[in-house]
Every structure is written in structure tokens, then in C-alpha cells.
């Protein structure tokens, strides 16, 4: 009985002698399998992570140009006119279309200029005062000339100009937001 068992033990030992033991091979395969699973998992998670972070990593908004009107409508412009434009904003996955009020006026060289109606002081909408021939903010009394330059009041700068271009006889404007309460125009979106 004892001899037989000894014989069996010797036989088993002889069959695993040339390479790794069965246990070592099992451990090696387990490590290999584990590494494979981690690699596949990592590869699969990359697009999922990018998908989840897209709204955070994407630039908040990229505003396109909006049509304001035909150039001919502004050829005899003598004072600022208020126009409403539609702007498309992309915020992560959300796309929103909103309306903004802009003024079309002339600079001191007589060229067309677009101004945002948002007061650079604290953001109130600035109306044009036809009788006084000036912009007068109702909130804290900032006064601006017809071309948007600062005249008086708490605002540290004039009304903000917007980028304009002409395409197919249409005046286009790129709406943007600017930092308030600072002396220099600074785009924030
Ligand atoms: S918001 Fe226009 S003067 Fe203050």
C-alpha cells in the first residue's frame, strides 16, 4: 500500500519536471487573464469616459453669425436702430436658440457698427433716447454717445461692439458676451 503510493508520487513528479508545475501554470494563466481583462476594460471605457465628459470638455458655446438685415436698410441711417437677432448656442448636449437685441449705428468715420444692448456696467438693457440723442441706461445712469462711446456714469467703458460682416448684401453680426465692471472689453462667451 505504502509502496504503491510512493510509486504514484514519483510518477506525478516525473511528468511535471520538464516545465512549470501545474500550479505555476495555473497562476501564470490567471495573471494573463487578469491583465487581458484589465486591458480590454480600459479600452472599452475610453469612449464611455469621453462620452460622459463631452459636455464638460466642449467649449460652452460657439456662436455663429446672425443676419441683422439687408445693407440697404441701413444706408440712410442717422441714429441707432434696434434689431433683434436670433442666436444659436450650444451648451454641452443642449442646443438653444434665443433672441438678442443689438443696435446698428455708425462709428465716427460713418461706417456701420453693431453694438450689444447689454450695459457693460451690470448688464441692464440700454435704451436709445431719441430726444437726447444718446443711450441712457435706466439702472444706474450710464450715458453713451450714439456710436456707443462712454459719456458718463458708472460704466468703466463704452458699449461693446460686435463683429460684423457682409454676405450677399446682408449685414451679419456675431453676438458675444463681455465681462462687466471692467475697463477693457473682455469676451467671456
Ligand atoms: S447696469 Fe447700466 S448703469 Fe448700471
Amino acid at each position: 500500500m505504502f509502496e504503491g503510493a510512493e510509486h504514484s508520487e514519483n510518477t506525478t513528479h516525473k511528468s511535471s519536471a520538464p516545465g512549470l508545475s501545474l500550479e505555476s501554470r495555473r497562476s501564470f494563466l490567471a495573471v494573463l487573464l487578469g491583465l487581458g481583462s484589465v486591458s480590454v476594460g480600459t479600452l472599452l471605457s475610453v469612449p464611455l469616459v469621453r462620452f460622459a465628459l463631452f459636455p464638460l470638455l466642449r467649449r460652452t458655446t460657439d456662436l455663429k453669425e446672425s443676419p441683422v438685415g439687408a445693407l440697404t436698410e441701413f444706408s440712410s441711417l442717422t441714429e441707432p436702430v434696434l434689431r433683434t437677432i436670433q442666436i444659436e448656442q450650444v451648451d454641452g448636449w443642449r442646443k438653444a436658440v434665443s433672441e438678442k437685441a443689438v443696435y446698428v449705428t455708425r462709428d465716427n468715420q460713418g461706417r456701420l457698427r453693431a453694438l450689444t444692448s447689454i450695459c457693460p456696467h451690470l448688464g441692464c438693457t440700454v435704451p436709445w433716447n431719441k430726444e437726447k440723442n444718446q443711450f441712457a441706461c435706466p439702472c444706474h445712469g450710464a450715458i453713451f454717445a450714439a456710436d456707443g462711446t462712454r459719456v458718463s456714469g458708472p460704466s468703466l467703458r463704452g458699449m461693446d461692439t460686435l463683429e460684423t460682416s457682409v454676405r450677399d448684401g446682408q449685414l451679419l453680426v456675431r453676438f458675444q458676451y463681455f465681462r462687466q465692471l471692467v475697463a477693457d472689453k473682455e469676451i467671456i462667451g
Side-chain angles (χ1 to χ4, degrees):
M1 185 75 176
F2 180 75
E3 278 177 9
E6 190 181 7
H7 176 73
S8 165
E9 194 179 305
N10 288 342
T11 310
T12 309
H13 180 72
K14 271 178 192 170
S15 67
S16 59
L20 294 165
S21 70
L22 187 61
E23 209 168 294
S24 302
R25 269 183 282 174
R26 274 186 187 147
S27 306
F28 177 70
L29 281 175
V31 169
L32 211 61
L33 208 64
L35 283 175
S37 303
V38 169
S39 308
V40 171
T42 307
L43 282 175
L44 289 177
S45 67
V46 168
L48 287 174
V49 170
R50 287 190 66 190
F51 178 86
L53 293 180
F54 173 78
L56 297 175
L57 299 178
R58 187 184 158 79
R59 249 193 83 188
T60 305
T61 190
D62 193 13
L63 296 173
K64 300 189 179 102
E65 290 177 317
S66 310
V68 189
L71 264 188
T72 49
E73 294 175 44
F74 308 113
S75 55
S76 53
L77 198 70
T78 54
E79 63 178 9
V81 288
L82 187 64
R83 288 294 163 96
T84 303
I85 59 166
Q86 291 207 325
I87 60 166
E88 192 180 272
Q89 268 177 290
V90 181
D91 188 5
W93 297 112
R94 200 167 58 89
K95 189 183 279 186
V97 177
S98 59
E99 293 190 333
K100 295 290 168 197
V102 300
Y103 286 101
V104 180
T105 185
R106 291 193 186 279
D107 64 14
N108 55 13
Q109 308 283 313
R111 293 171 300 209
L112 285 181
R113 159 183 278 190
L115 304 171
T116 171
S117 63
I118 300 172
C119 184
H121 178 228
L122 282 174
C124 290
T125 300
V126 184
W128 169 246
N129 187 320
K130 191 178 173 66
E131 288 69 40
K132 293 189 174 173
N133 198 42
Q134 64 188 17
F135 289 102
C137 184
C139 293
H140 313 99
I143 303 293
F144 308 95
D147 64 357
T149 52
R150 182 186 174 278
V151 174
S152 63
S155 178
L156 298 174
R157 63 174 191 270
M159 291 171 74
D160 295 307
T161 54
L162 299 166
E163 271 179 52
T164 56
S165 60
V166 176
R167 195 183 308 143
D168 299 329
Q170 291 282 318
L171 180 66
L172 305 172
V173 64
R174 185 186 301 279
F175 193 86
Q176 287 178 305
Y177 294 93
F178 304 94
R179 191 172 305 287
Q180 291 155 9
L181 290 172
V182 292
D184 296 321
K185 185 178 164 187
E186 188 185 331
I187 299 168
I188 55 169

